[in-house]
Amino acid sequence: FPDIICSCFDVLFRPIEDKMDTILGSTIDPFTDRHYITWLTVVAVAYNYNIWFCSARLVFPFHSRTTNPYWIFFDILSDIVNVTDIMVWQPRLQFVKAGDIIKDRAVTKVHYRKSQRFKTDIISILPFDLLCLHFQFSSMYRLNRFIRIESFFEFSNRLESIMAKAYIWRVVRTTGYLLFMLHLNACAFYVVSVHQGLATTTWVYDGKGTAYLRCYYFAVRSLINIGGLPEPITTSEITFQMTNFFIGVFVFSSLIGQMRDVIGAATAGQTYFRASMDGCVAYMNTYTIPKLVQNRVRTWYNYTWAAQGVLDELELLDKMPLVMRTAIAVDINLATFQKIALFQGCDQQMLVDMLLRLKSIVYLPGDFVVKKGDIGKEMYIIKSGTVQVVGGPDNSVVFVTLKAGSVFGEISLLQSADGGNRRTANVKAHGFANLFVLEKKDLFDILVHYPESQKVLARKGRKLIKAKGPAAAKASEERQKGLTLFGQKPPTPKMLRAFGGLIEMLKVL
Ligand code: PCG
């Protein structure tokens, strides 16, 4: 039977299908295609039109000579949407078979037409409405439209997977479920009231005001167990009221519980951050850590969370397969890495390997990242913020300020060939500095596989050590000390004598 219907539709829809081929391409990736998700929104609206309005029209006196043409118009419109979906969109959805993505249009069409979903879809669009030509106009003949619920769930799942803040949709959806339950209950209340006779008891709907609104109001009070309801008198009233209480307790409370879960999941990140910080503060209090240090730790937590949205990026990325981690790392940082002078001329794959070993870390203003004379165990790349290479008394002389994209801490790593591995200068975070850390062990593990890049780095390392290494650093520091008092050159004995004379003169004056 569905095959016969399909053949008829195939003939009818051939021109539309050809046109859609040119617009949509022969097949669609259902997970990423934006056109498809937009189309699913239209299908979901059509489905919601049917389930909300057909149920209300079936019960409430919504059909009249003036309103019927509008109902017929919207009914036909929703049917056109459903038929188009079944004939044009669904048969061109790609699917996975034995791990392969099937993109052949003929195969996707056969796959859909053989599926259970296709059978349900065909039953859902059978035009029982035509019976209205013989019987009275009623939405009863459209009840088969309700079984296309899968189209709504598909829309919901796809939307959830593409939204950046999926919890917004989840809250809207759960609220929709609650409202629909109340809607059905309002319809049931009206049916019971009509069955008993409007205004025959104090419990039933009295026939005054807007029927739908009054019944919906009753459903809200009754299902949410607000109370203050008129006492049910007859058996059917008591049964209805009791069923409502049960539905209210079990179904309604579970939906409200679901809402709590959705909101809980949406704020899970914030909760995790708070719990981590509270745990750390409790630990510091136990060991009576000075308030100054505690405040710095708090500042670190707050800034790291605000800047990165996670406390430990690696923890997040660890769950992903290597290929995805690589894609993310390449996307975020490769461009920055390629611009770093030290790595220019190195193998691209080596850079990618390095990206995967980087750890992101935040330093607070004034924090020493490296201290002169310490053993160098890692090098740094500035992600954002600035650091200063400082020296002189109280580290008040700034030799150089390094900005985002600069590398430092590499000298003590690269000079190890000469036997030295000590830091040649102090480096201090100027403001908040977000740095990538690459450990020496990781760097050398990687270099083993890239001998050419190793040579490039060794050559650059030698140059750097010559320019900035221990000897150069010492000379530069001394020069800087001199600079603070006497300008460009270190003071000569003559200058010192003149300076002493000047001081004496000032004293006399
Ligand atoms: P390293 O490992 O010696 O630690 C201090 C770092 O400061 C050093 O590596 C360099 O990467 C960096 N730096 C930047 N500019 C200078 C400079 O002019 N002199 C020195 N000694 N180090 C500098």
Side-chain angles (χ1 to χ4, degrees):
F1 176 61
D3 285 344
I4 299 167
I5 294 181
C6 282
S7 310
C8 300
F9 272 123
D10 276 346
V11 175
L12 276 171
F13 276 81
R14 175 75 57 217
I16 300 179
E17 273 197 39
D18 291 343
K19 185 117 195 91
M20 293 309 270
D21 268 349
T22 52
I23 301 171
L24 299 171
S26 70
T27 55
I28 303 163
D29 177 358
F31 293 98
T32 53
D33 195 301
R34 295 267 157 172
H35 290 115
Y36 181 56
I37 292 161
T38 314
W39 171 251
L40 280 180
T41 314
V42 179
V43 178
V45 170
Y47 181 74
N48 273 282
Y49 164 78
N50 281 319
I51 57 164
W52 284 79
F53 286 92
C54 290
S55 52
R57 281 157 57 192
L58 191 65
V59 172
F60 290 93
F62 284 163
H63 283 174
S64 69
R65 275 192 176 279
T66 44
T67 55
N68 286 355
Y70 295 108
W71 293 130
I72 293 169
F73 172 76
F74 285 114
D75 286 354
I76 292 174
L77 203 62
S78 83
D79 289 350
I80 290 174
V81 170
N82 281 326
V83 171
T84 312
D85 188 44
I86 294 167
M87 288 300 142
V88 178
W89 290 83
Q90 295 301 323
R92 62 184 75 219
L93 293 187
Q94 295 167 8
F95 64 98
V96 179
K97 191 180 173 188
D100 285 335
I101 303 170
I102 308 295
K103 294 182 178 174
D104 184 334
R105 173 72 195 288
V107 184
T108 56
K109 192 170 175 177
V110 172
H111 176 256
Y112 171 61
R113 296 226 166 142
K114 282 194 173 155
S115 67
Q116 181 58 41
R117 171 144 186 210
F118 177 63
K119 290 183 187 112
T120 322
D121 285 351
I122 287 291
I123 296 168
S124 77
I125 51 158
L126 289 179
F128 292 119
D129 314 49
L130 296 177
L131 291 171
C132 295
L133 298 174
H134 187 68
F135 301 104
Q136 206 190 357
F137 180 61
S138 164
S139 65
M140 189 172 68
Y141 307 116
R142 295 182 62 77
L143 291 186
N144 56 332
R145 305 289 186 276
F146 289 18
I147 62 171
R148 243 201 130 210
I149 191 157
E150 216 171 310
S151 64
F152 175 75
F153 288 137
E154 191 186 359
F155 157 74
S156 171
N157 293 340
R158 298 272 180 268
L159 188 66
E160 218 173 339
S161 64
I162 62 155
M163 273 179 80
K165 292 186 174 177
Y167 66 89
I168 296 176
W169 165 242
R170 287 186 205 125
V171 169
V172 171
R173 188 184 55 196
T174 312
T175 312
Y177 292 159
L178 288 171
L179 295 178
F180 188 65
M181 290 282 296
L182 291 167
H183 165 83
L184 289 182
N185 206 257
C187 295
F189 177 61
Y190 188 78
V191 170
V192 173
S193 299
V194 171
H195 175 71
Q196 293 235 108
L198 297 183
T200 46
T201 66
T202 49
W203 186 83
V204 295
Y205 167 55
D206 58 9
K208 290 182 193 149
T210 314
Y212 183 75
L213 196 67
R214 296 288 175 114
C215 293
Y216 205 95
Y217 180 62
F218 170 86
V220 172
R221 284 204 308 174
S222 158
L223 270 190
I224 302 181
N225 292 327
I226 290 175
L229 291 163
E231 263 314 295
I233 299 155
T234 64
T235 316
S236 52
E237 286 174 5
I238 293 174
T239 315
F240 186 90
Q241 190 60 70
M242 229 158 54
T243 317
N244 256 11
F245 285 148
F246 279 124
I247 295 175
V249 170
F250 294 116
V251 182
F252 235 68
S253 51
S254 73
L255 278 179
I256 288 172
Q258 197 176 321
M259 189 83 99
R260 196 201 59 122
D261 290 347
V262 168
I263 294 168
T267 52
Q270 191 68 29
T271 313
Y272 159 76
F273 164 67
R274 282 262 134 245
S276 307
M277 191 164 151
D278 289 351
C280 184
V281 169
Y283 174 84
M284 290 190 294
N285 283 334
T286 312
Y287 289 95
T288 47
I289 307 285
K291 277 279 168 251
L292 195 74
V293 179
Q294 289 207 19
N295 285 343
R296 283 185 77 75
V297 172
R298 279 172 211 263
T299 314
W300 178 86
Y301 263 99
N302 285 323
Y303 179 79
T304 309
W305 183 255
Q308 302 184 160
V310 280
L311 292 178
D312 185 357
E313 275 182 346
L314 285 186
E315 194 187 323
L316 194 84
L317 296 174
D318 253 5
K319 292 174 192 120
M320 288 184 197
L322 181 67
V323 63
M324 305 238 166
R325 268 188 288 149
T326 312
I328 291 177
V330 165
D331 203 52
I332 302 177
N333 300 319
L334 188 62
T336 318
F337 253 63
Q338 283 167 334
K339 282 188 214 133
I340 297 171
L342 181 68
F343 299 135
Q344 269 162 18
C346 289
D347 195 305
Q348 289 292 306
Q349 190 52 44
M350 187 202 88
L351 297 188
V352 173
D353 283 357
M354 275 166 81
L355 290 179
L356 289 170
R357 313 268 183 127
L358 293 180
K359 280 184 212 125
S360 174
I361 189 156
V362 171
Y363 282 89
L364 304 188
D367 273 354
F368 276 88
V369 185
V370 301
K371 283 231 164 159
K372 190 174 172 182
D374 283 356
I375 295 169
K377 289 182 189 147
E378 59 243 327
M379 61 184 273
Y380 302 85
I381 296 122
I382 307 173
K383 194 174 170 188
S384 64
T386 50
V387 299
Q388 292 177 327
V389 181
V390 292
D394 309 332
N395 292 309
S396 52
V397 183
V398 177
F399 294 135
V400 63
T401 301
L402 305 172
K403 296 203 176 84
S406 310
V407 178
F408 66 93
E410 76 290 21
I411 295 181
S412 52
L413 259 65
L414 298 174
Q415 73 185 347
S416 57
D418 325 354
N421 58 359
R422 301 278 167 172
R423 297 288 187 198
T424 56
N426 292 320
V427 181
K428 198 166 114 173
H430 183 49
F432 285 100
N434 199 340
L435 310 176
F436 285 127
V437 185
L438 180 66
E439 289 191 9
K440 182 177 185 172
K441 186 181 158 302
D442 288 338
L443 176 68
F444 285 94
D445 278 357
I446 296 167
L447 284 179
V448 169
H449 304 287
Y450 302 94
E452 284 309 311
S453 301
Q454 198 172 1
K455 277 181 207 156
V456 173
L457 279 182
R459 204 171 46 241
K460 291 197 177 183
R462 276 194 297 275
K463 268 192 199 162
L464 270 171
I465 292 157
K466 231 183 199 170
K468 302 182 190 171
K474 198 159 181 267
S476 139
E477 198 163 331
E478 274 163 8
R479 239 192 349 265
Q480 288 287 341
K481 273 184 206 157
L483 260 177
T484 51
L485 283 175
F486 300 102
Q488 290 299 321
K489 287 178 188 156
T492 57
K494 202 176 163 189
M495 279 166 83
L496 282 171
R497 270 200 309 278
F499 185 67
L502 193 70
I503 300 271
E504 286 307 312
M505 237 169 78
L506 283 170
K507 273 186 188 163
V508 172
L509 281 171

mmCIF file of all heavy atoms in Angstrom, residues 11 82 261 328 500:
data_model
loop_
_atom_site.group_PDB
_atom_site.id
_atom_site.type_symbol
_atom_site.label_atom_id
_atom_site.label_comp_id
_atom_site.label_asym_id
_atom_site.label_seq_id
_atom_site.Cartn_x
_atom_site.Cartn_y
_atom_site.Cartn_z
ATOM 1 N N VAL A 11 5.348 10.424 -9.196
ATOM 2 C CA VAL A 11 4.952 11.037 -10.467
ATOM 3 C C VAL A 11 4.592 12.507 -10.237
ATOM 4 O O VAL A 11 5.050 13.407 -10.935
ATOM 5 C CB VAL A 11 3.755 10.267 -11.089
ATOM 6 C CG1 VAL A 11 3.258 10.966 -12.338
ATOM 7 C CG2 VAL A 11 4.158 8.830 -11.371
ATOM 8 N N ASN A 82 3.917 18.552 5.696
ATOM 9 C CA ASN A 82 4.205 17.145 6.002
ATOM 10 C C ASN A 82 4.491 16.325 4.751
ATOM 11 O O ASN A 82 5.439 15.526 4.729
ATOM 12 C CB ASN A 82 3.026 16.523 6.765
ATOM 13 C CG ASN A 82 3.075 16.919 8.224
ATOM 14 O OD1 ASN A 82 4.156 17.069 8.798
ATOM 15 N ND2 ASN A 82 1.911 17.128 8.816
ATOM 16 N N ASP A 261 16.647 19.449 36.725
ATOM 17 C CA ASP A 261 17.856 18.822 36.164
ATOM 18 C C ASP A 261 18.439 19.678 35.047
ATOM 19 O O ASP A 261 19.647 19.846 34.938
ATOM 20 C CB ASP A 261 17.537 17.437 35.590
ATOM 21 C CG ASP A 261 17.224 16.451 36.685
ATOM 22 O OD1 ASP A 261 17.497 16.796 37.863
ATOM 23 O OD2 ASP A 261 16.716 15.361 36.381
ATOM 24 N N ILE A 328 41.302 20.901 17.421
ATOM 25 C CA ILE A 328 41.010 22.070 18.264
ATOM 26 C C ILE A 328 42.296 22.863 18.496
ATOM 27 O O ILE A 328 42.331 24.086 18.336
ATOM 28 C CB ILE A 328 40.378 21.634 19.607
ATOM 29 C CG1 ILE A 328 38.974 21.078 19.337
ATOM 30 C CG2 ILE A 328 40.309 22.802 20.585
ATOM 31 C CD1 ILE A 328 38.260 20.543 20.537
ATOM 32 N N GLY A 500 80.431 63.605 42.464
ATOM 33 C CA GLY A 500 80.716 63.788 43.898
ATOM 34 C C GLY A 500 80.800 65.277 44.217
ATOM 35 O O GLY A 500 80.227 65.749 45.201
#
